[in-house]
Amino acid sequence: MKLITFSVQTHLGTQTRIGALLGDKALDLNFAYAAMLHDSGKTERYYPLAEALVPSDMITFLQGGEQSMSAAKQAIEFVQQRRANNQALRGPDKQILIYALKDIELLAPVTNPGSIRDTISFETHAKNFEKRTGKPIPELWYQQPLYYKGNTRTVVGHNTEVPWPNYTEKLDYELEFGVYIGKTGSNIKAEDAHAYIAGYTIFNDISARDVLQKEITMLLGPAKGKDMDMGNVMGPCLVTPDELDPSSLDMQARINGEVWSTGNSSDMYWSFAKIIEYISQSETLYPGDFIGSGTVAFGCGDELDRWVQPGDVIELEVQGIGVLTTTVGQRTCNTKTIT
């Protein structure tokens, strides 16, 4: 399944819902499951049961585990069968079940993850990162996954305009993907980690590159090199593990339609299974927590010495997931670099 969180305008105002992508359409999973229960004639409690198994919040949905995933699949099958039979597609009280993508706003699949951990898992990117210092990759990099924690309140979704921070001259994109945790656990073994992955999404880790390069010399951070409003862009969907093999995915970044970066997930030295094993040592992971892959080889302007400009459109594409689009906002008049 390709699961989404979206907002839609209704007569009650803006509503946030979870759904599934069906080609170029979006299915409201909560109302679809309620419609299925209603049509079965087996219960009059179709709304409470739908809210319990397929709630309108992604983290609560993920907490439902296999039962919620199974209910979502049933709702999709119900609607697909109705479409095939040219039957009406409305909820028990005439709610809209299927939307054109132009009529909704795709939010980040998990709008407020419990945590963000971003790693440096691609070996070639790590080598390129160290070339600027003239040093080899530290031996520690090969001994354990390295990561930093991001600000969960800066997460945004597909088709977002990201404001240009007023302290940087070099704003950068980063072509990544990542996993959402779907099950509570700690001290997870790598061989068991697959069961804790709810799904995969694309991640554009916006960076103030000139500031970041200074911060890392302090052996702490990153700080303002990463922490900015709307700086963690995720989407457009969450692809469940039964539909995606993360070991060899083509990845591409396009700026204004021009290909800048290409890569493949096979260059990951640290697998998500190994990363989860390391992170979960004596620390509990929860549904909705996000773990990023880090940047694919040559997957950012810094590695290419090419820089995005205000108004540029960034498209990050990962095979099997889709395309995540971000527009670069305009500079403010008081732009100046932190010193």
Side-chain angles (χ1 to χ4, degrees):
M1 293 182 291
K2 289 186 173 182
L3 302 176
I4 58 173
T5 296
F6 65 96
S7 66
V8 61
Q9 296 297 324
T10 74
H11 68 283
L12 297 175
T14 303
Q15 301 285 313
T16 299
R17 313 286 293 170
I18 71 163
L21 290 179
L22 301 179
D24 61 350
K25 306 291 184 183
L27 172 66
D28 186 310
L29 284 172
N30 176 266
F31 284 149
Y33 193 72
M36 184 193 75
L37 293 176
H38 173 269
D39 285 14
S40 74
K42 296 179 180 179
T43 180
E44 295 183 9
R45 302 186 67 249
Y46 35 86
Y47 286 133
L49 289 172
E51 191 59 33
L53 285 174
V54 193
S56 297
D57 171 73
M58 188 65 78
I59 290 182
T60 309
F61 171 81
L62 295 178
Q63 290 170 342
E66 293 181 6
Q67 285 187 303
S68 287
M69 287 291 183
S70 177
K73 290 177 181 177
Q74 292 173 33
I76 292 171
E77 291 169 0
F78 166 77
V79 168
Q80 287 176 328
Q81 186 175 39
R82 281 204 153 203
R83 293 176 80 187
N85 295 332
N86 294 314
Q87 292 177 285
L89 289 171
R90 289 281 179 167
D93 290 303
K94 308 303 180 184
Q95 298 97 336
I96 296 174
L97 300 186
I98 295 182
Y99 295 92
L101 292 180
K102 66 179 180 61
D103 295 330
I104 64 171
E105 179 184 357
L106 287 175
L107 308 176
V110 177
T111 57
N112 189 20
S115 66
I116 297 173
R117 298 173 176 88
D118 198 18
T119 67
I120 307 176
S121 298
F122 286 93
E123 186 173 22
T124 302
H125 173 72
K127 288 178 178 178
N128 290 341
F129 188 77
E130 294 299 331
K131 277 182 181 178
R132 288 191 299 273
T133 66
K135 300 176 182 178
I137 300 177
E139 188 58 34
L140 180 63
W141 190 88
Y142 292 100
Q143 297 172 4
Q144 64 188 54
L146 302 178
Y147 66 93
Y148 71 90
K149 291 185 176 181
N151 183 349
T152 62
R153 293 185 178 273
T154 63
V155 172
V156 292
H158 179 64
N159 273 337
T160 298
E161 180 175 296
V162 174
W164 190 292
N166 62 6
Y167 52 79
T168 181
E169 296 293 334
K170 289 185 175 181
L171 200 64
D172 204 359
Y173 70 93
E174 294 194 16
L175 173 56
E176 308 186 25
F177 75 121
V179 298
Y180 290 110
I181 297 298
K183 181 179 175 183
T184 301
S186 62
N187 298 311
I188 302 164
K189 298 298 183 184
E191 56 267 28
D192 300 324
H194 183 79
Y196 289 82
I197 295 175
Y200 303 85
T201 198
I202 304 171
F203 182 33
N204 187 357
D205 177 25
I206 302 294
S207 301
R209 193 63 65 182
D210 45 356
V211 176
L212 177 64
Q213 289 171 349
K214 295 176 182 177
E215 289 176 338
I216 60 176
T217 65
M218 299 297 292
L219 305 180
L220 191 66
K224 296 309 296 178
K226 297 285 188 180
D227 289 345
M228 61 196 72
D229 286 341
M230 305 172 73
N232 288 303
V233 191
M234 302 178 186
C237 60
L238 178 163
V239 181
T240 52
D242 58 320
E243 293 197 7
L244 194 72
D245 178 1
S247 64
S248 182
L249 301 175
D250 289 330
M251 304 172 67
Q252 185 179 93
R254 298 182 293 272
I255 310 299
N256 300 325
E258 179 187 355
V259 176
W260 279 26
S261 305
T262 60
N264 190 279
S265 64
S266 60
D267 190 47
M268 286 182 73
Y269 181 86
W270 292 102
S271 68
F272 283 116
K274 287 289 188 181
I275 294 168
I276 290 171
E277 179 179 62
Y278 178 75
I279 290 175
S280 69
Q281 294 178 95
S282 299
E283 183 176 7
T284 304
L285 300 182
Y286 297 95
D289 286 354
F290 178 79
I291 301 171
S293 66
T295 311
V296 70
F298 301 100
C300 61
D302 186 47
E303 290 179 78
L304 307 170
D305 196 23
R306 299 184 73 178
W307 304 98
V308 297
Q309 299 299 319
D312 282 354
V313 176
I314 305 167
E315 294 176 292
L316 304 187
E317 182 169 6
V318 178
Q319 181 183 1
I321 302 177
V323 178
L324 175 64
T325 302
T326 308
T327 301
V328 181
Q330 298 299 312
R331 294 173 183 256
T332 56
C333 60
N334 63 335
T335 297
K336 63 179 181 178
T337 303
I338 290 176
T339 57

